[in-house]
């Protein structure tokens, strides 16, 4: 099982623990990969705001580079997933647009035929590897650990671009992963809402209200941690949680925000250090302690 | 087939009333919509259930409700589609709008938002031949937004309205776009400037795509909002954090092929905005201690000249 690996800017910048934990987990899962070191940032929807075609051209370039290698793209970020899927969807249903984009890429000797799939590690784990085989890589059953899923907008909308109709499991992929590690799902309406990151620097008050509402709901529901496949959600929900909670609820930041690979890694028996859990702003000590107490199989 | 409905009931007019859920289990025709099922409940089981509908054919926009947490027109949603094996369907009134009774919400929120965008044409002259002549393309361009049936589904699920009732909201902003793009309107720039400057205007949307996902008429309000951001910038509005934010991203990818998070935060605040800088500092400092501060010199893509070439090519086309 080999993929063209596109880690994304945040895993290489503000959330380095995501990159490290993802790579460690991918090895255990028996995934092989080639990293796409020449690829550009997806633009995170922001570049597309200013110039849609430019954003699409940069993403189709990435997909064409993977296509040349005969590989699908593996991502570890909801936003990368969504933005690339949207670009892919746009050219796949409009051959004229694809031809236009290919004209831009021709100088570099690239031509995209439209065959590359983009898959988050979450989808790879449950669709390509499969839940049963995935469970075989775990050494611990996270019994009694209550986890709140938090998807990130781009991982769930627009559903038409994300292939939800053909892959109905994607609707509940995070819950499936949480159940696979033996955890208990804390279901709440905020799980598919916005974390507020896109307006953090534009309207901080509103952004932090979102952070406080979601992490507060998880705390009130007795969750031990929140799990997210999106590093941008992580940056906001983790980094700004202390300020958000103080401002809006007058309480302390107590909801650790775990990256998806860190969750899988915990079930695989990896250490706090290996997974970079000590690098979070909101302390992960409690959940690490809870998992440590569970004896390995 | 069996329809199992769990309906949120609430009558604010009753002293001491609290919202509660009531379950109904009925036998419905296999082609039933959720609206058909609810009407059947009202007619055969419980005459006190309040709901609103009119055309039953997704034209009037009266029957917006939340089904399993997501806003939908219940006349356009079949029971079989969402609950083929008799799964329970949770039916609630739409969000972000005041409940009048049970599944009926007040239209005040929706129309107060619409009123804020001056929802009528403002020509600056009398038509020469008794009517304004507009090109075919200019009118087909407006069709997306003109398809809006004012059902309120987008308002219901907008994540910004959930935390800020002052946001103008997706439906009204899509309506505003309809006027900024109409060649017969003479107030394009005034409209864009107001939407740019006003609290709750175009820059407050968080691009969560809820409105795109739930709209039954493919109005895609978020796309219209993004077009207005671009148009507002072109009209000379470069005074917002939103503008600086987009520019910073644009330039970072052009220069490094990658996103430069440190710059993004600082550029968005504005280099001369001292209070905002101080506000960012403690979080940056904490992140630094934990070893996760974004690199001061951003990670660069190999071969970034190629990325710059693409910028130049696509930008050249736009000019
Ligand atoms: S994309 Fe913007 S307008 Fe649409 S629902 Fe989200 S925040 Fe509201
Ligand atoms: S934009 Fe779509 S969802 Fe919003 S009111 Fe109009 S038709 Fe309904």
């Amino acid at each position: 099982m080999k993929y063209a690996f596109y880690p994304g800017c945040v895993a290489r910048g503000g959330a380095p623990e995501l990159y490290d934990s993802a790579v460690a987990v991918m090895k255990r899962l028996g995934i092989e990969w080639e990293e796409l070191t020449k690829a550009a940032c997806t633009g995170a929807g922001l570049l597309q705001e200013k110039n849609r075609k430019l954003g699409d051209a940069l993403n189709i370039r990435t997909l064409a580079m993977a296509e040349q290698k005969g590989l699908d793209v593996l991502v570890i970020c909801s936003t990368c997933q969504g933005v690339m899927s949207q670009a892919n969807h746009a050219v796949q249903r409009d051959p004229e647009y694809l031809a236009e984009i290919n004209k831009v890429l021709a100088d570099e000797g690239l031509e995209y035929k439209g065959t590359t799939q983009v898959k988050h590690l979450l989808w790879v784990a449950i669709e390509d590897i499969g839940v049963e085989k995935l469970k075989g890589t775990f050494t611990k059953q996270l019994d009694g650990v209550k986890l709140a899923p938090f998807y990130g907008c781009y991982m769930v909308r627009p559903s038409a671009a994300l292939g939800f109709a053909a892959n109905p499991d994607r609707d509940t992929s995070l819950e499936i992963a949480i159940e696979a590690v033996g955890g208990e799902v804390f279901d709440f309406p905020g799980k598919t809402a916005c974390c507020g990151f896109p307006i953090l620097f534009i309207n901080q008050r509103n952004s932090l209200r979102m952070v406080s509402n979601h992490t507060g709901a998880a705390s009130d529901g007795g969750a031990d941690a929140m799990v997210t496949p999106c590093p941008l959600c992580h940056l906001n929900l983790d980094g700004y949680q202390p300020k958000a909670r103080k401002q809006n609820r007058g309480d302390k930041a107590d909801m650790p925000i775990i990256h998806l690979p860190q969750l899988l890694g915990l079930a695989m028996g990896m250490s706090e250090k290996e997974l970079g859990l000590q690098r979070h702003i909101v302390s992960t000590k409690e959940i690490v302690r809870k998992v440590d107490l569970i004896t390995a199989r | 087939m069996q329809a199992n409905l769990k309906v949120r009931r609430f009558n604010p007019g009753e002293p001491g009333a609290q919202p509660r859920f009531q379950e109904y289990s009925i036998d419905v025709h296999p082609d039933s919509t959720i609206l058909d099922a609810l009407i059947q409940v009202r007619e055969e089981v419980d005459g006190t259930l309040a709901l609103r509908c009119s055309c039953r054919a997704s034209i009037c926009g009266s029957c917006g409700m939340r089904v399993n947490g997501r806003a939908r027109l219940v006349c356009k949603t079949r029971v079989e589609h969402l609950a083929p094996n008799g799964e329970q369907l949770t039916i609630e009134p739409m969000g972000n709008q005041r409940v009048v009774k049970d599944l009926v919400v007040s239209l005040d929120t929706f129309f107060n938002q619409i009123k804020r965008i001056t929802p009528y044409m403002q020509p600056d002259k009398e038509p020469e031949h008794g009517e304004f002549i507009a090109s075919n393309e200019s009118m087909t361009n407006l069709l997306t937004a003109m398809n809006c049936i004012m059902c309120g589904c987008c308002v219901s699920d907008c994540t910004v309205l959930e935390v800020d009732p002052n946001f103008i909201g997706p439906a009204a902003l899509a309506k505003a776009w309809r006027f900024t793009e109409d060649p017969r309107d003479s107030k394009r720039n005034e409209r864009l400037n107001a939407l740019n400057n006003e609290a709750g205007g175009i820059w407050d949307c968080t691009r969560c795509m809820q409105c795109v996902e739930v709209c039954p008429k493919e109005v895609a309000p978020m796309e219209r909002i993004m077009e207005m951001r671009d148009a507002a910038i072109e009209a000379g509005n470069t005074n917002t954090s939103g503008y600086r934010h987009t520019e910073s991203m644009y330039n970072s990818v052009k220069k490094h092929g990658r996103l430069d998070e440190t710059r993004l935060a600082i550029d968005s605040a504005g280099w001369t905005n001292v209070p905002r800088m101080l506000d960012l500092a403690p979080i940056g400092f904490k992140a630094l201690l934990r070893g996760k501060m974004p690199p001061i010199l951003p990670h660069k893509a190999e071969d970034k000249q190629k990325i710059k070439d693409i910028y130049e090519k696509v930008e050249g086309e736009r000019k």
Side-chain angles (χ1 to χ4, degrees):
Chain A
M1 212 173 287
K2 192 169 174 184
Y3 299 88
F5 180 36
Y6 179 90
C9 304
V10 182
R12 297 308 244 150
E17 71 282 1
L18 170 60
Y19 184 84
D20 298 344
S21 58
V23 163
V25 163
M26 279 152 61
K27 279 186 195 148
R28 291 273 184 106
L29 290 172
I31 294 175
E32 291 176 274
W33 69 88
E34 270 179 53
E35 195 166 318
L36 291 165
T37 50
K38 291 180 182 168
C41 170
T42 65
L46 207 55
L47 200 67
Q48 284 72 2
E49 222 176 79
K50 195 172 149 90
N51 190 334
R52 156 86 44 194
K53 189 174 170 190
L54 173 62
D56 286 345
L58 293 176
N59 286 305
I60 298 303
R61 175 177 174 266
T62 307
L63 300 184
M65 292 193 293
E67 194 177 54
Q68 261 187 354
K69 298 178 196 285
L71 301 173
D72 283 334
V73 173
L74 169 66
V75 297
I76 50 175
C77 165
S78 297
T79 307
C80 295
Q81 173 73 58
V83 177
M84 281 193 185
S85 290
Q86 284 175 34
N88 211 7
H89 188 61
V91 298
Q92 279 172 344
R93 64 177 175 176
D94 183 353
E96 272 175 39
Y97 188 46
L98 173 60
E100 258 182 59
I101 301 271
N102 272 333
K103 243 191 250 162
V104 179
L105 304 182
D107 281 351
E108 218 180 319
L110 288 170
E111 189 195 350
Y112 185 51
K113 296 189 185 66
T115 63
T116 309
Q117 290 194 56
V118 185
K119 284 194 152 185
H120 195 288
L121 180 61
L122 174 60
W123 295 351
V124 166
I126 64 173
E127 291 169 14
D128 297 3
I129 294 173
V131 174
E132 283 319 305
K133 232 178 122 197
L134 176 67
K135 279 185 181 168
T137 64
F138 299 152
T139 58
K140 280 186 177 184
Q141 170 94 8
L142 305 194
D143 276 331
V145 181
K146 202 168 176 180
L147 298 157
F150 198 90
Y151 281 88
C153 298
Y154 281 89
M155 199 75 181
V156 284
R157 289 180 293 274
S159 53
L162 293 164
F164 272 48
N167 305 280
D169 274 357
R170 290 184 182 175
D171 212 11
T172 50
S173 51
L174 252 186
E175 285 92 330
I176 293 173
I178 292 171
E179 279 165 7
V181 299
E184 183 194 337
V185 175
F186 169 69
D187 202 358
F188 73 121
K191 70 181 175 189
T192 54
C194 179
C195 70
F197 183 80
I199 49 169
L200 176 62
F201 303 125
I202 298 172
N203 187 331
Q204 199 186 78
R205 185 200 61 185
N206 285 355
S207 180
L208 297 194
R209 280 182 185 165
M210 292 178 189
V211 172
S212 172
N213 285 352
H214 304 320
T215 60
S219 296
D220 295 345
D224 295 297
M226 191 176 267
V227 186
T228 182
C230 185
L232 291 168
C233 294
H234 170 90
L235 285 184
N236 211 30
L237 297 171
D238 180 55
Y240 283 82
Q241 194 183 139
K243 188 172 178 190
R245 293 285 288 269
K246 190 169 163 215
Q247 242 173 37
N248 293 289
R249 287 170 50 113
D251 63 358
K252 286 231 154 60
D254 59 358
M255 187 47 51
I257 313 294
I258 309 282
H259 298 286
L260 171 85
Q262 290 176 327
L263 175 71
L264 302 180
L266 283 172
M268 289 170 178
M270 291 183 193
S271 72
E272 176 188 6
K273 281 250 159 64
E274 259 176 292
L275 298 169
L277 283 158
Q278 79 288 359
R279 285 181 155 172
H280 294 203
I281 300 289
V282 178
S283 168
T284 58
K285 278 212 177 75
E286 271 308 300
I287 170 124
V288 168
R289 196 187 54 88
K290 208 163 174 177
V291 175
D292 275 349
L293 290 177
I294 300 169
T295 40
R297 279 198 288 256
Chain B
M1 69 181 290
Q2 196 70 15
N4 294 307
L5 310 175
K6 184 178 157 197
V7 182
R8 193 170 194 263
R9 306 287 313 267
F10 178 42
N11 183 359
E14 233 168 58
Q18 285 298 323
R20 66 190 160 91
F21 280 102
Q22 189 162 349
E23 294 181 12
Y24 302 101
S25 199
I26 50 165
D27 195 37
V28 298
H29 189 275
D31 290 339
S32 271
T33 63
I34 294 178
L35 177 60
D36 293 331
L38 287 168
I39 292 175
Q40 199 176 322
V41 166
R42 189 181 60 186
E43 284 176 0
E44 295 173 8
V45 186
D46 185 348
T48 67
L49 177 66
L51 58 109
R52 178 167 54 211
C53 64
S54 177
C55 77
R56 307 189 189 192
S58 62
I59 298 166
C60 73
S62 304
C63 68
M65 296 172 199
R66 264 190 184 157
V67 182
N68 294 345
R70 174 203 193 273
R72 293 174 183 274
L73 290 184
V74 285
C75 70
K76 210 187 165 198
T77 313
R78 285 172 56 202
V79 173
E80 197 205 3
H81 180 67
L82 288 186
N85 304 309
E87 292 89 340
Q88 191 172 59
L89 291 165
T90 305
I91 323 275
E92 296 168 276
M94 288 195 289
N96 294 326
Q97 294 153 88
R98 183 175 59 83
V99 174
V100 177
K101 187 176 181 241
D102 298 338
L103 300 171
V104 180
V105 297
S106 162
L107 298 177
D108 291 352
T109 306
F110 188 91
F111 282 101
N112 285 337
Q113 290 170 356
I114 297 281
K115 280 180 202 156
R116 281 174 68 186
I117 60 101
T118 327
Y120 45 83
M121 196 116 59
Q122 296 169 283
D124 56 359
K125 53 180 188 286
E126 289 291 314
E128 278 169 27
H129 308 289
E131 61 182 343
F132 286 108
I133 311 290
S135 73
N136 226 356
E137 301 82 70
S138 66
M139 289 297 110
T140 35
N141 178 40
L142 297 184
L143 278 182
T144 43
M146 291 205 302
N147 281 338
C148 172
I149 55 172
M150 306 191 136
C151 64
C153 285
C154 57
V155 169
S156 161
D157 287 12
C158 172
T159 49
V160 168
L161 282 170
E162 233 164 68
V163 296
D164 184 2
N166 186 47
F167 181 44
I168 296 177
L173 287 170
K175 176 75 68 202
W177 175 88
R178 182 243 165 282
F179 289 104
T180 61
E181 289 304 302
D182 192 318
R184 298 165 298 177
D185 193 89
S186 67
K187 297 274 192 272
R188 184 170 195 267
N189 278 2
E190 287 86 339
R191 287 179 188 275
L192 288 171
N193 295 348
L195 292 166
N196 180 76
N197 296 332
E198 195 174 339
I202 47 177
W203 293 103
D204 278 342
C205 162
T206 180
R207 278 193 284 118
C208 73
M209 295 176 278
Q210 286 278 21
C211 54
V212 179
E213 186 74 18
V214 301
C215 174
K217 293 289 167 183
E218 292 180 25
V219 172
M222 183 187 90
E223 306 289 340
R224 313 282 85 83
I225 297 169
M226 295 309 122
E227 284 179 46
M228 286 193 289
R229 285 185 181 177
D230 204 23
I233 290 170
E234 260 171 41
N237 290 290
T238 53
N239 55 340
T240 56
S241 310
Y243 164 74
R244 287 189 294 267
H245 192 55
T246 317
E247 279 304 295
S248 173
M249 177 72 162
Y250 194 76
N251 294 329
S252 165
V253 178
K254 188 172 185 178
K255 206 163 154 205
H256 310 295
R258 292 283 165 88
L259 160 68
D260 178 351
E261 291 152 87
T262 318
R263 270 306 279 252
L264 195 62
I266 296 172
D267 283 350
S268 307
W271 283 92
T272 51
N273 188 341
V274 177
R276 282 291 299 279
M277 289 295 163
L278 289 176
D279 184 60
L280 288 168
I283 288 163
F285 187 62
K286 244 191 260 170
L288 198 66
L289 283 178
R290 303 259 152 82
K292 66 180 294 177
M293 184 67 180
I296 301 296
L297 292 171
H299 201 82
K300 294 185 179 79
E302 288 171 23
D303 234 359
K304 50 196 172 53
Q305 186 54 41
K306 294 273 170 18
I307 294 166
K308 229 183 245 172
D309 290 347
I310 292 181
Y311 260 76
E312 267 144 34
K313 251 183 144 171
V314 180
E315 275 171 344
E317 282 173 19
R318 283 238 294 193
K319 274 173 196 142

